[in-house]
């Protein structure tokens, strides 16, 4: 299994933890450690929406309790496509 393309979500502490766990479940993330979840499968639009909602919910908290560990972006891979936009 190639873990280099997986996204990890590390959780801090929330007052509304049941909301966070619901959004994690809806995103398709699964636990790999205590307070660490991974996204390692293709996501449908509903799962993607849940992930964005989770990140927005986290952003509204002063401490930003969701830390995202994503693969590094290779800008060169996108430079040719930028003209299309």
């Amino acid at each position: 299994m190639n873990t280099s393309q997986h996204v990890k979500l590390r959780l801090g502490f929330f007052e509304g933890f049941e909301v966070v766990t619901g959004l994690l479940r809806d995103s398709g993330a699964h636990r790999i450690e205590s307070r660490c979840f991974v996204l390692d499968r293709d996501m449908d639009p509903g799962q993607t929406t849940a992930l964005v909602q989770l990140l927005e919910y986290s952003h509204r908290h002063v401490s930003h309790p969701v830390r995202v560990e994503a693969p590094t972006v290779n800008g060169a891979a996108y430079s040719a496509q930028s003209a299309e936009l």
Side-chain angles (χ1 to χ4, degrees):
M1 179 183 294
N2 179 7
T3 59
S4 66
Q5 294 302 309
H6 298 171
V7 174
K8 288 183 182 176
L9 304 170
R10 295 200 183 269
L11 302 185
F13 292 94
F14 286 89
E15 289 181 19
F17 196 69
E18 56 280 342
V19 174
V20 173
T21 56
L23 289 169
L24 279 168
R25 181 194 59 241
D26 291 352
S27 74
H30 59 272
R31 185 189 328 217
I32 58 171
E33 314 172 357
S34 176
R35 294 191 171 269
C36 183
F37 295 78
V38 68
L39 296 166
D40 59 358
R41 298 177 182 98
D42 290 343
M43 297 172 69
D44 65 34
Q47 291 172 313
T48 304
T49 299
L51 176 61
V52 171
Q53 288 174 321
L54 173 64
L55 296 176
E56 284 295 312
Y57 187 78
S58 172
H59 185 70
R60 287 191 298 267
H61 287 74
V62 176
S63 61
H64 300 282
V66 173
R67 190 174 83 227
V68 178
E69 297 173 8
T72 305
V73 174
N74 177 357
Y78 296 103
S79 63
Q81 298 173 355
S82 65
E84 295 175 18
L85 297 175

